Amino acid sequence: MLKVPAHQVAGHRADRGKLGPRVDDSGRFYKPLQGDERGAREVAFYTSFSSDTKVPNHISRFFPKFYGTQLVEASDGSGMKPHVVLQDLTFSRVNPSVMDIKIGSRTWGPEESADQIQKCLKKDRESSSLSLGFRLSGMQIFGTKESGFWKPEKKWIQSISTDEVRLLLKKFVSSDTSALKPDCAFASIVYGGSKGILSQLLELKAWFEDQTSYHFFACSILMMFEKELALEGKSPCPEIKLVDFAHVFEGRGVIDHNFLGGLCSLIKFISEILTTPEDSTTNVLVEDAHRSHVYPENGSA
């Protein structure tokens, strides 16, 4: 029995008769293939990447496992449709905090139509993509068993300013989701350390500084951890994964500067949170938030 992913924070959701991905109870994620060249391109990427011997194991672990394609009853009731079958990245995680970050100042590939380029460019200009090289696409932060998840509305989160991006990256690792001023209580054990998110991002960066086989457009990095484990004095299992590969093209011997630039920018933001979690900018933003109610109430994405 397939069901809507409980912890999906971005993309199309398979609820209310809409087409979207679903998961099973064995840890597999079924994503409907787009009927145009994007679907074929995504399958081609997974097929190529999963058998690419030049990709080291410590890098391939950042990508979902690929189980091929399968005809599955579509969530919108339109009949049997081809789906790509992948690893369910939040399977076995309990109440994970998740953030989806779209990487790159440019989110369209070299073969896109003029209409698609204008559509992507509009989104890039209205978000932090052009200014930062990345934008937040969606997130959820676990608070407590009583309060549940803090999950801001996607349209809002995708249009926030640079300083608000910094504020949400701090809120992601803070103890109280209801507090406007983030305390970054879990920054050191989620972002920091030899197995933390920053270390993983730096590992990924080293590969992107060398690899010239693939160019990733409109690809996202998922950041995940489990706050309840941290509260029990255990490792919160911080982890990054790359997702969304419908716009991957051959690198043709050229470094992917678009993705690498956005990745370096994200690394800079997280590094600054670890070194200077408290700054004057945060205080000003918190004061502004009190006045303008910058945070939406808890709600569905």
Side-chain angles (χ1 to χ4, degrees), residues 61 83 87 119 137 154-155 167 197 200 202 219 293:
R61 71 187 176 101
H83 288 59
Q87 174 189 6
K119 181 181 177 181
S137 293
K154 286 190 296 185
K155 288 184 179 179
L167 197 61
I197 282 174
Q200 295 175 51
L202 289 170
C219 173
H293 304 289

Side-chain angles (χ1 to χ4, degrees), residues 233-270:
K234 302 174 183 177
S235 167
C237 300
E239 185 178 30
I240 66 167
K241 292 284 188 179
L242 275 70
V243 296
D244 297 335
F245 305 112
H247 303 277
V248 178
F249 294 82
E250 290 185 21
R252 303 183 186 277
V254 178
I255 287 176
D256 186 356
H257 290 288
N258 179 62
F259 190 97
L260 180 59
L263 180 58
C264 289
S265 178
L266 177 60
I267 286 170
K268 180 176 181 291
F269 271 68
I270 291 178

Side-chain angles (χ1 to χ4, degrees), residues 17 28 41 57 64 102 111 119 126 135-136 144 151 162 164 176 183 186 244 273 287 289:
R28 298 198 173 190
R41 193 181 298 126
N57 290 335
K102 192 172 292 294
E111 298 176 11
K119 181 181 177 181
E126 292 174 350
R135 70 172 179 258
L136 306 189
T144 64
K151 195 170 184 179
T162 296
E164 288 167 339
D176 186 357
D183 60 16
F186 303 112
D244 297 335
I273 291 172
E287 292 172 5

Side-chain angles (χ1 to χ4, degrees), residues 100-170:
D100 183 304
I101 306 171
K102 192 172 292 294
I103 304 295
S105 58
R106 167 181 161 178
T107 57
W108 70 90
E111 298 176 11
E112 302 289 3
S113 66
D115 287 345
Q116 182 66 17
I117 290 173
Q118 288 304 311
K119 181 181 177 181
C120 292
L121 184 57
K122 183 176 185 292
K123 286 185 178 180
D124 295 344
R125 285 172 172 166
E126 292 174 350
S127 68
S128 64
S129 289
L130 283 181
S131 58
L132 299 184
F134 68 89
R135 70 172 179 258
L136 306 189
S137 293
M139 67 186 295
Q140 68 176 29
I141 309 174
F142 182 71
T144 64
K145 289 181 179 178
E146 293 72 30
S147 65
F149 289 95
W150 184 81
K151 195 170 184 179
E153 204 274 329
K154 286 190 296 185
K155 288 184 179 179
W156 172 78
I157 198 175
Q158 292 172 10
S159 62
I160 59 178
S161 68
T162 296
D163 287 333
E164 288 167 339
V165 167
R166 182 179 289 107
L167 197 61
L168 286 185
L169 286 169
K170 291 182 176 183

Side-chain angles (χ1 to χ4, degrees), residues 2-300:
L2 299 183
K3 55 191 176 183
V4 178
H7 304 298
Q8 181 182 347
V9 298
H12 302 286
R13 287 186 63 81
D15 53 8
R16 296 187 291 273
K18 297 179 181 178
L19 183 64
R22 287 173 296 166
V23 296
D24 64 17
D25 292 321
S26 68
R28 298 198 173 190
F29 182 93
Y30 297 78
K31 179 181 179 181
L33 282 175
Q34 298 177 82
D36 53 20
E37 70 279 356
R38 290 172 294 178
R41 193 181 298 126
E42 188 160 22
V43 172
F45 166 75
Y46 276 116
T47 303
S48 171
F49 188 83
S50 61
S51 60
D52 190 341
T53 57
K54 298 191 297 294
V55 180
N57 290 335
H58 72 277
I59 295 300
S60 61
R61 71 187 176 101
F62 295 133
F63 293 76
K65 292 177 182 177
F66 173 57
Y67 301 110
T69 59
Q70 185 175 329
L71 281 175
V72 174
E73 183 72 33
S75 60
D76 63 354
S78 58
M80 302 295 286
K81 301 287 185 184
H83 288 59
V84 61
V85 186
L86 306 168
Q87 174 189 6
D88 178 2
L89 298 178
T90 60
F91 183 72
S92 79
R93 284 185 176 268
V94 178
N95 296 323
S97 293
V98 182
M99 182 180 287
D100 183 304
I101 306 171
K102 192 172 292 294
I103 304 295
S105 58
R106 167 181 161 178
T107 57
W108 70 90
E111 298 176 11
E112 302 289 3
S113 66
D115 287 345
Q116 182 66 17
I117 290 173
Q118 288 304 311
K119 181 181 177 181
C120 292
L121 184 57
K122 183 176 185 292
K123 286 185 178 180
D124 295 344
R125 285 172 172 166
E126 292 174 350
S127 68
S128 64
S129 289
L130 283 181
S131 58
L132 299 184
F134 68 89
R135 70 172 179 258
L136 306 189
S137 293
M139 67 186 295
Q140 68 176 29
I141 309 174
F142 182 71
T144 64
K145 289 181 179 178
E146 293 72 30
S147 65
F149 289 95
W150 184 81
K151 195 170 184 179
E153 204 274 329
K154 286 190 296 185
K155 288 184 179 179
W156 172 78
I157 198 175
Q158 292 172 10
S159 62
I160 59 178
S161 68
T162 296
D163 287 333
E164 288 167 339
V165 167
R166 182 179 289 107
L167 197 61
L168 286 185
L169 286 169
K170 291 182 176 183
K171 189 178 179 74
F172 188 63
V173 291
S174 292
S175 60
D176 186 357
T177 58
S178 64
L180 285 174
K181 186 173 182 179
D183 60 16
C184 299
F186 303 112
S188 62
I189 58 174
V190 174
Y191 289 153
S194 60
K195 295 183 179 180
I197 282 174
L198 177 60
S199 179
Q200 295 175 51
L201 290 173
L202 289 170
E203 207 171 344
L204 190 63
K205 172 177 172 282
W207 182 66
F208 269 93
E209 288 173 334
D210 182 63
Q211 79 88 18
T212 58
S213 298
Y214 308 98
H215 281 192
F216 297 84
F217 295 96
C219 173
S220 287
I221 289 178
L222 284 187
M223 302 196 311
M224 301 170 283
F225 78 97
E226 293 173 63
K227 182 184 289 186
E228 287 178 287
L229 291 178
L231 292 171
E232 296 170 1
K234 302 174 183 177
S235 167
C237 300
E239 185 178 30
I240 66 167
K241 292 284 188 179
L242 275 70
V243 296
D244 297 335
F245 305 112
H247 303 277
V248 178
F249 294 82
E250 290 185 21
R252 303 183 186 277
V254 178
I255 287 176
D256 186 356
H257 290 288
N258 179 62
F259 190 97
L260 180 59
L263 180 58
C264 289
S265 178
L266 177 60
I267 286 170
K268 180 176 181 291
F269 271 68
I270 291 178
S271 298
E272 288 174 350
I273 291 172
L274 284 168
T275 54
T276 55
E278 180 70 31
D279 58 44
S280 57
T281 302
T282 298
N283 291 331
V284 171
L285 280 172
V286 169
E287 292 172 5
D288 289 345
H290 276 294
R291 288 193 294 267
S292 61
H293 304 289
V294 69
Y295 292 131
E297 295 179 359
N298 286 22
S300 60

